[in-house]
Amino acid sequence: MTARHLRRALLLAAAVPLAAATAAAAVLKAGHWRLYADRHRIELTPRPRRSCPDCRGAGGWWGGGANPEMEACGCWSDRRELRVRLWPVPAWPYGPPF
């Protein structure tokens, strides 16, 4: 294998994960999901739709009364949150460090 073929193979190997990550980001944005990933978990949480006629992308509205509370819109609150645990979160040995 020459240097030219090796360079082309390395560029192709680097381009495939980048294309997959770009495609996944486009699908998540179109489906109104937020992706969070670290070494302990991967989470997919729903986001409000900007085109929702009820909340107009705000995710809900404030109810009236003496103690107003936020009422969540069904465009995102009725969808499930998906979570995958990867590594367990380590426990503190003797309590918090403060």
Side-chain angles (χ1 to χ4, degrees), residues 14-29:
V16 169
L18 179 64
T22 304
V27 166
L28 289 173
K29 190 169 187 174

Side-chain angles (χ1 to χ4, degrees), residues 3 5-6 9 11 13 21 39 41 45 47-49 55 60 69 71-74 78 81 84 88 90 97:
H5 292 288
L6 182 62
L11 286 174
R39 67 181 187 174
R41 67 190 170 279
T45 55
R47 294 185 344 192
R49 292 187 331 229
C55 69
E69 293 185 6
E71 294 183 31
C73 183
D78 294 340
E81 182 176 293
V84 178

Side-chain angles (χ1 to χ4, degrees), residues 4-85:
R4 173 187 262 165
H5 292 288
L6 182 62
R7 187 178 310 133
R8 186 176 299 155
L10 288 174
L11 286 174
L12 182 61
V16 169
L18 179 64
T22 304
V27 166
L28 289 173
K29 190 169 187 174
H32 305 286
W33 290 91
R34 185 180 63 92
L35 173 69
Y36 174 79
D38 63 7
R39 67 181 187 174
H40 300 292
R41 67 190 170 279
I42 299 173
E43 292 181 358
L44 285 171
T45 55
R47 294 185 344 192
R49 292 187 331 229
R50 290 185 183 182
S51 62
C52 178
D54 296 329
C55 69
R56 296 180 183 86
W61 50 88
W62 290 96
N67 297 319
E69 293 185 6
M70 178 94 172
E71 294 183 31
C73 183
C75 70
W76 68 273
S77 66
D78 294 340
R79 292 190 288 169
R80 290 181 33 188
E81 182 176 293
L82 306 171
R83 184 176 298 141
V84 178
R85 272 185 63 183

